[in-house]
Amino acid sequence: LSQDAGLLRLPTMRVSGATHRLVDRLRELMDEVVENVGQGQPEAAADASKLCREACTLFAVLRPYSQKAQLKTDARSCAVFLTDCLYLVHVLILMPYTHGRRLPADRRHLTFFVDLVPQLRRLGENHFFAMLRHQQEQIAVALRPCDLGPGISRDRTFISAEAALGAAVQHAKLATQGLASALPAQLLQEISGVLVGMICQNLLGKLFALHHMAPEEVGCVTALFTSALAMCRQVLTTAGVGDRGAASAGGGVSFELEDAVPGWAALTVASNLLGSGFQRFLESRAELSRVFKREEAIKLMQLSWQDEQISPEDAWPMLS
């Protein structure tokens, strides 16, 4: 298995010491099964196999109960619980290979625990998704005071919006750091992308809900978006999501970040084009038509243009 990069290998991740000890005990029980069968003690072998099953059942019942508060609110605790479940599932899947082949054909069923595999996998995933929903709710609550509407150019309103944005990014950063303590790299990058994407999509939703922006308000919103991208980039760096891709020197979109983070490309383009005239939109038409729907692009033009000779609706066919 050490040479196999396929299905039966686990990615690098961290598990709790308690689960490590539990797995060691499960393997000892399987060794007893093999030994008892070899000594002609089928009942003792069946008892050892049953004890292995009961130990897994106790894990599934007692572990979530003992940590029920932390599993929903604490990203690190829930990440460790998920990896514990994945590790246990991995060990159970391998039992027929590691121990079953040492048994006669009529006793190999004592090493089969495939019925426990989907239960344990769902257990970890259900708690993990519940934690993720909680994190997203907390980010949404933190962003509530971030109002991009009329008055954003006033110092008091802008500072309040900036503080709300900072609080949301800090929440995503702390959650990502907690997840990084246990999760495999690929899963960590996917989940951090979801959390940062929540911030990007929230800001875009607030932008597209506006009907008009004064020139001084455009500058304030652009500054907020630029700040959001810079702070979120730090969160993604924590998760190992980099900037490799087709980011241009002129501030284009990194394809790696675009793939990892919902709304990243749209927020980047909005930050670059908000307040610009038709000529700038025309120069960026490739990215504009790629990341925005027609209605969104028209809204961005409506909020940006003050004295253009062409309407956003008439301009769209030239930009798409």
Side-chain angles (χ1 to χ4, degrees), residues 84-102:
D84 283 353
C85 289
L86 294 177
Y87 181 41
L88 198 51
V89 162
H90 176 74
V91 170
L92 294 177
I93 288 175
L94 291 184
M95 285 298 186
Y97 300 95
T98 57
H99 292 80
R101 61 184 179 180
R102 294 153 57 188

Side-chain angles (χ1 to χ4, degrees), residues 55-65 71 78 81-86 88-89 116-131:
C56 294
T57 301
L58 282 174
F59 170 88
V61 173
L62 297 180
R63 178 70 180 278
Y65 179 79
L71 288 182
C78 196
F81 179 66
L82 176 64
T83 56
D84 283 353
C85 289
L86 294 177
L88 198 51
V89 162
L116 295 177
V117 167
Q119 297 174 26
L120 290 169
R121 187 183 294 275
R122 279 196 303 267
L123 179 68
E125 291 175 348
N126 288 343
H127 281 283
F128 189 78
F129 288 138
M131 179 277 298

Side-chain angles (χ1 to χ4, degrees), residues 233 243 245-254 268 272 280 287:
R233 199 182 299 270
D243 282 330
S248 67
V253 181
S254 162
T268 301
N272 291 336
R280 182 88 186 280
E287 287 187 345

Side-chain angles (χ1 to χ4, degrees), residues 192-268:
S192 65
V194 170
L195 294 175
V196 171
M198 176 88 184
I199 297 174
C200 295
Q201 292 174 318
N202 187 289
L203 293 175
L204 288 168
K206 292 176 185 290
L207 175 68
F208 292 133
L210 300 176
H211 298 290
H212 174 76
M213 294 179 70
E216 63 274 12
E217 293 172 342
V218 169
C220 291
V221 172
T222 300
L224 276 177
F225 284 5
T226 302
S227 178
L229 290 168
M231 290 190 292
C232 287
R233 199 182 299 270
Q234 296 176 9
V235 177
L236 296 169
T237 300
T238 301
V241 182
D243 282 330
R244 296 186 305 275
S248 67
V253 181
S254 162
F255 289 149
E256 182 174 352
L257 292 178
E258 179 180 349
D259 291 340
V261 185
W264 182 270
L267 190 65
T268 301

Side-chain angles (χ1 to χ4, degrees), residues 1 6 15 21 45 49 51 57 64 72 80 92 96 100 114 123 154 156 167 172 222 236 253 282 286 298 300 308 311:
L1 292 177
V15 298
R21 292 189 293 273
S49 177
L51 186 56
T57 301
K72 181 178 180 181
V80 172
L92 294 177
V114 290
L123 179 68
R154 292 196 293 266
R156 186 175 178 180
T222 300
L236 296 169
V253 181
L282 187 62
I298 289 176
L300 187 63
E308 294 293 332
S311 70

